[in-house]
Amino acid sequence: MANSKNVVGANKVVGFHYTLMNSKGAQLESSHGGEPMMYLHGAENIVPGLERQMEGKTIGDKFDAQIAPEDGYGVRDARASQSVPRNSFPADIEIEVGAQFTAEAPDGSIMPVWVTAVDKDTVHIDRNHPLAGETLHFKIELVSIRDASKEEVAHGHPHGPGGHHHH
Ligand code: ZN
């Protein structure tokens, strides 16, 4: 059924509304009241556990998805935090708790890091996603499915409303 027009599968651009709660039931994020989240299926735009549960769904489907950390933002790595001098960041940018930067790993690859604390001369960063270690509770409502363009497939993300606007 993967080629069926209105079924989520590879190379479909999918729009959905969601509410994300942690395991204590506290709401972390919601798309309601704004634009739906758009993603390219099969391109790892969303956490793997949610992408798997989207497979085969159709417009109008509503479902709850409970995602373990391994299938979400990963398990928390206690060795992933680091302190770096403030002056290793450009002087003209504001550094706030929760801000995301990219850093170069020892192997030369680019990895995201998040600021967890800021002192006068030191910035504490962590490679863990802020939601690492959390079991994610999503309430999902599928609102759109369309075929991705060749360009979107090549880029690995959707363009247009709700997608990237870098062209
Ligand atoms: Zn693009």
Side-chain angles (χ1 to χ4, degrees):
M1 291 294 287
N3 292 325
S4 183
K5 196 166 180 288
N6 289 320
V7 174
V8 175
N11 298 339
K12 296 285 188 186
V13 172
V14 180
F16 64 93
H17 276 295
Y18 71 98
T19 301
L20 170 59
M21 286 158 292
N22 65 17
S23 38
K24 296 184 185 95
Q27 184 175 310
L28 303 173
E29 289 172 22
S30 175
S31 67
H32 291 281
E35 293 294 317
M37 170 83 181
M38 304 291 287
Y39 82 100
L40 174 62
H41 194 81
E44 300 178 359
N45 294 169
I46 60 175
V47 295
L50 184 57
E51 188 165 52
R52 273 204 299 280
Q53 295 198 35
M54 287 286 192
E55 185 90 29
K57 295 290 197 295
T58 190
I59 294 172
D61 280 356
K62 295 181 181 181
F63 62 99
D64 292 346
Q66 183 174 314
I67 315 273
E70 305 82 63
D71 292 324
Y73 291 105
V75 292
R76 192 159 275 283
D77 180 354
R79 299 159 305 168
S81 61
Q82 203 181 332
S83 300
V84 295
R86 172 65 180 84
N87 63 17
S88 65
F89 290 83
D92 59 343
I93 59 166
E94 189 141 354
I95 300 172
E96 296 175 320
V97 172
Q100 189 193 329
F101 292 92
T102 51
E104 196 171 324
D107 68 359
S109 65
I110 298 297
M111 60 184 186
V113 298
W114 285 267
V115 174
T116 54
V118 185
D119 301 333
K120 187 169 171 291
D121 300 316
T122 311
V123 178
H124 303 274
I125 58 172
D126 199 312
R127 290 197 311 276
N128 290 300
H129 186 280
L131 291 175
E134 287 276 3
T135 296
L136 309 171
H137 298 260
F138 284 100
K139 280 189 183 302
I140 302 293
E141 179 181 357
L142 240 95
V143 296
S144 66
I145 302 173
R146 65 169 171 81
D147 291 326
S149 69
K150 281 200 177 71
E151 192 182 51
E152 289 173 320
V153 172
H155 285 204
H157 55 231
H159 296 152
H164 284 235
H165 295 277
H166 61 122
H167 303 287

